[in-house]
Amino acid sequence: MAVVNPFTSYIERLARAARALGLSEVEKKRLSEPNNIVDTQIELTRDNGTVERLRTYRVQFNNARGPYKGGIRFHKAADLDEVKALAAAMAIKCAVVDIPMGGAKGGVQFDPKQYSEAEIERVARAFIRAMGDAIGADKDIPAPDVYTNSNIMGIMLDEFQKMHGRNEPAMITGKPQGLGGIVGRDTATAQGGVYVLDYFVSALGFKKKGLRVAIQGFGNAGATAAKILSGDGHSIVGISDSSGALLFETGLDIDKLLLEKNKSGELKDTRARIATNQELLETDCDVLIPAALDNQLTVENAPRVKAKIILELANGPTTPEADVIFGQRDITVIPDVLTNAGGVTVSYFEWLQNREGSIWSEEKVREQLKEIMTKASGVLWKKSKELNVPLRDAAFLLGVERIVSAMRTRRAV
Ligand code: NAD
C-alpha cells in the first residue's frame, strides 16, 4: 500500500470542500497552512551525561473558534507533515461537535521506550520551556496523545507554573484529578462513540439492543467501548489486540477478558475461536468498531466486510478507496472526527471546570457529553441527507463551514 502524506490528503479534501462551499482563494489559503508553527530542538541530558537534541513541534492550525487545542505525542515518526495534518483534524473535530476551541498538535520526535522515566520527565519539562509564551489557558491547551499520559501532563503543568509564576491548571488537560483533571476523561472517547452509535442505530432503524459488535483493539478506546456496549445489552462477537483476535458468536464476557488482560496481559477465553485481525474485520456482525490503528480497512478487505455500520473510534482507520467501496455497498461509515470527539469534548469540560474553579460530577460530565454528541450526530445526519453525501464528507464540510464562518465574522479573511 502506497504511503500517503497525511497533509497532502488534507489539502486535497480541502480543495473539494472549497469548491462545494464556494470559498474565496484567501479563505482556502488561510485553511491550507497553520497560523503558527513552533519548530525547534530541545536539549536532553541523558542519565549517562551525554546530551541529545530532539526535534520538537507545536503546530497551531486555526483559532478562529477558540484557543488552540490538541495533544502532544512522543513518537519517532512525529514529523512536521503528520503533526500539521493532525492539527488540522483537531480544528475540524472541535468544529463538528461545536465546542469553542481551535486545532493544534505537538510532538517530540523520539522513541520514549528507549528512555528512562527521569529522561522522559526532562523531555516533558523542556517541551514546555521551548514553547515559551505560545501556550496557556487562553492561547493553546495541550493534552495527552500517543505515548504521553496524565502524569506527563501533570509534570508539564508544574513546569509551566514554575516558568510563569502563577497557578493556571486550565493551560493543559488530561491531568491527574488531584491537579484539576476531570472525572471520566479516561472513558470519554468510548462513551462519546457509544452515544453517537445510539443515535445512528435509531436513525437507521436498527434494533436498540442485541446488536452484534466486533471491535479491533482492546486498549483505552476499544476495551472501554466493549464494556459499555456489553453493559447496554449488545453482544461483542469479536475483539482483538496486537497479538490476534477472539471470535465468539454468542458474545464474549468482557469483564472476564478485562480481568485476564490485566492479570496476564493476554486476550484469553477458552470458549472463543482464536483468529487473526483480518478475520475479525471481516467477521459477521452488525457493527464493526476499528479502535486500534489507521489504514485498517482497505481496498483489499472492504469488499468482504459484513458489518452494516462502521464506527470509527480510531483515527483514520479507513482508506479513501475503502470508503468508496463501503459507499457502493451501502455500509454506513460514521467518521472519526465525530465518533472519537468525546475525548476532546471532555477535555473542554476539564478546561471549563478549571476556569470555574469547580469540580464537575461524573453525572454532569456524562449528561453534557451525551447532549453534545447526540446533537452533533443529528446535525451531521441531516447535513449528509440534505447534500446527499457520505457522513465523512458532510463532517468535513460542516467543520470547514463553521471555521470559515468564524473567520468571516472576525473579518479575518
Ligand atoms: P491504546 O494504546 O490504549 O490501545 C490500542 C489497542 O490497539 C491495543 O489493544 C493494541 O494491542 C491494539 N493494537 C495495536 N496494534 C494492533 C493491530 N495490528 N491489530 C489489532 N489491534 C492492535 O490506544 P487508544 O487510546 O485506545 O487509541 C486507539 C485509537 O483510538 C487510536 O487511533 C487513537 O488515535 C484513537 N483515539 C483515542 C482517543 C483516546 O482518548 N484514547 C481519543 C481519540 C482517538
Side-chain angles (χ1 to χ4, degrees), residues 73 86 90 93 105 144-147 185-190 215-224 239-245 261 265 267 276-278 280-281 290-294 296 312-317 336 339-344 347:
R73 54 179 52 188
L86 291 163
M90 281 305 295
K93 195 178 288 191
K105 205 81 178 187
D145 196 72
V146 178
Y147 293 127
R185 174 60 188 88
D186 49 347
T187 54
T189 300
I215 304 178
Q216 184 193 39
F218 203 58
N220 175 286
T224 312
I239 196 105
S240 70
D241 65 9
S242 53
S243 63
K261 180 94 183 177
L267 258 187
T276 63
N277 259 289
Q278 274 315 310
L280 175 110
L281 296 173
L293 308 169
D294 55 3
Q296 295 302 293
E312 291 187 337
L313 220 41
N315 277 316
D336 49 5
T339 305
N340 68 32
V344 71
S347 282

Side-chain angles (χ1 to χ4, degrees), residues 70-119:
I72 300 167
R73 54 179 52 188
F74 286 175
H75 200 274
K76 263 196 312 213
D79 68 17
L80 191 54
D81 272 351
E82 181 189 78
V83 177
K84 272 163 67 175
L86 291 163
M90 281 305 295
I92 299 285
K93 195 178 288 191
C94 292
V96 164
V97 285
D98 207 8
I99 57 174
M101 300 248 146
K105 205 81 178 187
V108 183
Q109 216 172 22
F110 80 120
D111 178 5
K113 288 185 190 155
Q114 310 301 323
Y115 291 74
S116 73
E117 217 175 292
E119 288 167 338

Side-chain angles (χ1 to χ4, degrees), residues 137 141 157 167-182 346-360:
I141 305 121
L157 172 64
N167 191 27
E168 192 174 309
M171 60 75 50
I172 204 160
T173 61
K175 306 175 285 291
Q177 281 180 37
L179 296 179
I182 196 160
V346 173
S347 282
Y348 161 59
F349 298 160
E350 180 175 332
W351 178 80
L352 277 179
Q353 164 183 282
N354 296 150
R355 310 208 74 166
E356 293 166 1
S358 68
I359 296 177
W360 284 32

Side-chain angles (χ1 to χ4, degrees), residues 148-160:
T148 55
N149 55 31
S150 63
N151 288 334
I152 293 176
M153 298 305 108
I155 288 162
M156 288 182 167
L157 172 64
D158 182 66
E159 191 62 25
F160 182 90

